[in-house]
Amino acid sequence: MIEVQGLRKTYGDRVAVDGISFQVEPGRIFGLLGPNGAGKTTTISCLSGLLKPTAGTIRIAGHDVVTDAREAKRSLGVVPQELAIYLEISARENLRYWGGIQGLSGKDLDDRVETILARVGLADRAKEPVKAFSGGMKRRLNLAIGLVHEPKVVLLDEPTVGVDPQSRGHILELIRERAAAGCAVLYTTHYMGEAEGLCDDFAIIDDGRIIAEGDLEELLARAGDAIQRHSVPEPSLERLFLHLTGKELRE
Ligand code: ADP
């Protein structure tokens, strides 16, 4: 489970995240949605222990990420936007290396590496140096690295940006599977349409603040109300965002 209370992060004078709170229960996919610069990556970096919050508390599987960082990290799988892969070695070697860092070894490591390679559709390319991979294949490997140790909590920072439809399908399916297996998943994206089809719960973030939250039905009802008043077509999260901020989201 993920528990975030009053999270704030500033860079000098700039407020990147301005006091946000949310919870993600096991088995749920929580979409943190917002345009570029909204504060999504900063939030993920604080949750993963990469950045120290200016204020607020974060607990991962019951462990405070600042005061109990070691235990918090043991439960955590992070899929960053920047690829965390070595290009000169193979997909299998990348996964063995990162799995080892997560404390896996021996047959357990072997088994989990082969399982995740098959799951992301890279088993038949597992021996090639990763530099020969397409962008989508690298993204799938990046996802596999974050999941190889089967963490209880998964943080994903825009994992489908610039990805071909086949790889996107693989990535989304695997995320659904992890949630069905009981993981608490935090998913950030600026693709509102993609999030509508994937996430159970949502928070829309803009300028570091959560401006709407709830499940899809609640948010679409709000969008619907706004639409009735302005006589525009179908309710969608994108419409709701436009209504709340007056900003267009470009994909
Ligand atoms: P998102 O992931 O939603 O695109 P970010 O969390 O990357 O948003 O950025 C939130 C805000 O913080 C932006 O205004 C961005 O310019 C600023 N920011 C992010 N990283 C830094 C940094 N290292 N130094 C200063 N400002 C930063």
Side-chain angles (χ1 to χ4, degrees), residues 79-100:
V79 181
Q81 214 177 106
E82 302 283 328
L83 296 173
I85 57 185
Y86 292 108
L87 296 174
E88 301 298 326
I89 60 175
S90 70
R92 183 176 281 124
E93 286 163 336
N94 266 281
L95 283 164
R96 293 186 63 81
Y97 172 75
W98 288 108

Side-chain angles (χ1 to χ4, degrees), residues 45-211:
S45 299
C46 290
L47 265 63
S48 61
L50 218 63
L51 283 178
K52 193 162 183 280
T54 310
T57 55
I58 301 164
R59 292 165 79 84
I60 300 288
H63 304 285
D64 187 295
V65 297
V66 177
T67 58
D68 194 5
R70 243 179 109 105
E71 282 303 314
K73 278 186 186 155
R74 281 164 65 100
S75 308
L76 204 58
V78 185
V79 181
Q81 214 177 106
E82 302 283 328
L83 296 173
I85 57 185
Y86 292 108
L87 296 174
E88 301 298 326
I89 60 175
S90 70
R92 183 176 281 124
E93 286 163 336
N94 266 281
L95 283 164
R96 293 186 63 81
Y97 172 75
W98 288 108
I101 286 186
Q102 293 292 348
L104 301 174
S105 62
K107 185 167 178 337
D108 191 26
L109 175 62
D110 293 345
D111 289 348
R112 293 203 204 195
V113 166
E114 295 314 311
T115 302
I116 197 80
L117 276 169
R119 260 329 269 110
V120 294
L122 292 174
D124 57 341
R125 306 286 298 268
K127 284 195 220 157
E128 282 174 46
V130 171
K131 63 184 174 195
F133 280 11
S134 70
M137 290 164 73
K138 286 183 193 144
R139 288 251 153 231
R140 281 188 265 154
L141 176 59
N142 203 47
L143 176 67
I145 286 169
L147 298 178
V148 65
H149 56 301
E150 299 181 6
K152 283 192 226 147
V153 173
V154 182
L155 312 177
L156 301 130
D157 194 4
E158 307 224 23
T160 59
V161 168
V163 157
D164 60 278
Q166 191 204 0
S167 289
R168 179 179 285 225
H170 267 289
I171 290 171
L172 298 181
E173 198 185 311
L174 187 51
I175 293 167
R176 285 195 190 95
E177 194 181 290
R178 289 287 83 216
C183 289
V185 179
L186 176 71
Y187 188 89
T188 80
T189 186
H190 65 277
Y191 297 136
M192 300 263 173
E194 177 181 285
E196 281 187 34
L198 178 72
C199 303
D200 303 302
D201 306 294
F202 303 84
I204 299 182
I205 183 171
D206 188 38
D207 291 334
R209 295 196 178 153
I210 292 178
I211 55 172

Side-chain angles (χ1 to χ4, degrees), residues 196 218-244:
E196 281 187 34
E218 288 162 343
L219 291 178
L220 290 186
R222 273 186 78 177
D225 289 347
I227 284 163
Q228 275 189 345
R229 269 180 266 130
H230 295 95
S231 64
V232 284
E234 261 173 69
S236 68
L237 294 183
E238 185 121 25
R239 276 280 147 212
L240 178 62
F241 180 78
L242 176 62
H243 168 68
L244 293 171

Side-chain angles (χ1 to χ4, degrees), residues 11 14 16 35-42:
Y11 299 105
R14 174 168 289 147
N36 288 330
K40 303 183 297 298
T41 299
T42 303

